[in-house]
């Protein structure tokens, strides 16, 4: 496992969450190791929905940077998150697919999972401003 | 005086690990809805060049505040889970400024709460981001799909 994107390190918030990027061939997978500060509901316990959302946003940005060869950080215009399952206190993974890279706007879809990729815990669609 | 469930919100936020981690706190209830706030912090920055707070932090604050707005509307402790959340980012949050979120549950059915929220520094009229969400409300005893605060 390697961490291909040193640029992610410059994002303090990615470090705060503990996100790392893993590259297998040309396939990028974002990995969010479980940590106690990511819990939203301590009684269940479940990951905070905002953590899952933020993790998928970072995944989208990383994929976009890679596909589009950008050296700056793309800004989200709008983000749509669907929560499918409760986030357990486990490691979470996510992969993004860039649907379109335009001169001004790009469109990305992300899926996040824990135990099996076939049972995603959340999905995200987002538009990013490219300038 | 009637006991309001929102009286508990300060305690609930203080016991939500992720909200504590980002330094968010409950800032009160009004006719406009439930308000939460979060001071700017270096380690939450999303872009080192602009020192703007990461959009993901705003997402979490909006999500949490929206969920509480549903609780406020129910005025009781029930399991509330985010079904979907749409966020529009209008402008970067100002570095060094405290960020506020106000959320209102404008419609509650038997099982769904519909919520609108805004993130801003000083006024809702100059928003950083807007959110629209749908939340599932379930009875407490059932092990719901994604109970969250």
């Amino acid at each position: 496992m390697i961490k291909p994107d040193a640029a992610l390190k410059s994002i303090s918030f990615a470090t705060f969450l503990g996100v790392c990027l893993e590259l297998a061939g040309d396939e990028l997978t974002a990995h969010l190791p479980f940590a106690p500060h990511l819990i939203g509901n301590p009684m269940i316990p479940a990951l905070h929905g905002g953590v899952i959302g933020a993790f998928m946003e970072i995944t989208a940005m990383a994929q976009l940077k890679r596909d589009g060869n950008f050296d700056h950080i793309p800004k989200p215009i709008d983000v749509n998150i669907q929560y499918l399952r409760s986030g357990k206190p486990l490691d979470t993974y996510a992969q993004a697919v860039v649907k379109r890279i335009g001169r001004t706007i790009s469109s990305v879809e992300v899926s996040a999972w824990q135990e099996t990729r076939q049972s995603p815990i959340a999905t995200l669609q987002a538009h990013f401003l490219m300038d | 005086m009637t006991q309001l469930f929102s009286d508990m919100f300060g305690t609930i936020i203080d016991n939500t690990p992720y909200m504590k981690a980002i330094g968010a706190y409950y800032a009160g209830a009004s006719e406009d809805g439930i308000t939460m706030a979060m001071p700017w912090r270096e380690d939450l920055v999303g872009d080192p060049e602009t020192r703007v707070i990461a959009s993901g932090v705003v997402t979490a604050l909006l999500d949490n505040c929206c969920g509480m707005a549903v609780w406020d509307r129910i005025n009781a402790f029930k399991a509330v889970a985010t079904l979907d959340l749409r966020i529009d980012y209008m402008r970067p949050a100002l570095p060094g400024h405290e960020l506020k979120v106000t959320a209102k549950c404008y419609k509650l059915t038997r099982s769904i709460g519909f919520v609108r929220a805004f993130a801003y520094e000083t006024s809702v009229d100059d928003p950083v981001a807007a959110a629209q969400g749908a939340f599932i409300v379930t009875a407490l005893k059932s092990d719901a799909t994604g109970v969250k605060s």
Side-chain angles (χ1 to χ4, degrees):
Chain A
M1 296 294 186
I2 47 163
K3 293 171 185 176
D5 198 352
L8 200 63
K9 279 224 162 72
S10 69
I11 305 174
S12 308
F13 178 60
T15 310
F16 173 83
L17 280 183
V19 179
C20 40
L21 299 173
E22 292 163 357
L23 196 62
D26 64 346
E27 198 180 73
L28 189 68
T29 306
H31 176 196
L32 179 68
F34 172 72
H37 74 284
L38 306 179
I39 290 289
N41 186 325
M43 288 186 295
I44 301 189
L47 289 183
H48 197 285
V51 168
I52 301 165
F55 172 54
M56 291 192 294
E57 269 180 51
I58 291 171
T59 308
M61 288 177 196
Q63 188 69 51
L64 205 49
K65 266 173 77 84
R66 207 179 146 71
D67 288 13
N69 236 334
F70 300 107
D71 47 7
H72 61 276
I73 298 160
K75 294 185 196 76
I77 303 164
D78 59 56
V79 164
N80 227 307
I81 307 164
Q82 290 81 43
Y83 292 96
L84 306 168
R85 291 175 177 87
S86 170
K88 295 175 184 162
L90 299 170
D91 287 17
T92 311
Y93 303 89
Q95 276 188 352
V97 177
V98 176
K99 293 289 176 181
R100 176 176 184 260
I101 294 190
R103 252 181 314 171
T104 4
I105 287 164
S106 289
S107 183
V108 189
E109 288 183 10
V110 182
S111 180
W113 72 93
Q114 290 184 320
E115 284 132 309
T116 52
R117 204 150 134 186
Q118 283 68 41
S119 307
I121 59 164
T123 56
L124 170 145
Q125 295 85 41
H127 291 108
F128 289 88
L129 198 61
M130 303 314 293
D131 57 13
Chain B
M1 217 179 108
T2 352
Q3 182 84 15
L4 291 174
F5 186 52
S6 57
D7 293 344
M8 299 277 295
F9 286 177
T11 314
I12 291 172
I13 290 296
D14 291 346
N15 286 287
T16 304
Y18 189 61
M19 287 296 108
K20 236 176 125 179
I22 63 170
Y25 64 92
Y26 175 59
S30 74
E31 269 189 15
D32 299 328
I34 295 301
T35 302
M36 282 178 67
M38 187 200 81
W40 183 89
R41 225 169 66 189
E42 191 79 55
D43 60 344
L44 301 178
V45 163
D47 188 337
E49 277 175 40
T50 57
R51 295 170 73 237
V52 168
I53 290 275
S55 55
V57 180
V58 187
T59 306
L61 204 58
L62 283 164
D63 179 45
N64 207 105
C65 201
C66 284
M68 287 210 309
V70 179
W71 270 346
D72 181 49
R73 177 82 187 236
I74 305 167
N75 200 26
F77 189 70
K78 280 193 182 179
V80 168
T82 320
L83 180 61
D84 68 40
L85 188 68
R86 184 222 159 88
I87 302 167
D88 294 323
Y89 297 103
M90 267 85 79
R91 65 170 173 85
L94 298 172
H97 286 69
E98 183 171 80
L99 193 69
K100 292 188 187 71
V101 165
T102 299
K104 190 170 177 102
C105 176
Y106 61 88
K107 176 68 184 174
L108 180 71
T109 70
R110 210 151 32 119
S111 51
I112 308 288
F114 299 92
V115 189
R116 257 224 135 226
F118 289 97
Y120 55 92
E121 294 96 353
T122 48
S123 164
V124 186
D125 298 329
D126 183 21
V128 167
Q132 167 80 49
F135 291 74
I136 316 163
V137 181
T138 43
L140 254 194
K141 55 180 183 204
S142 68
D143 180 22
T145 50
V147 189
K148 47 189 296 302
S149 41

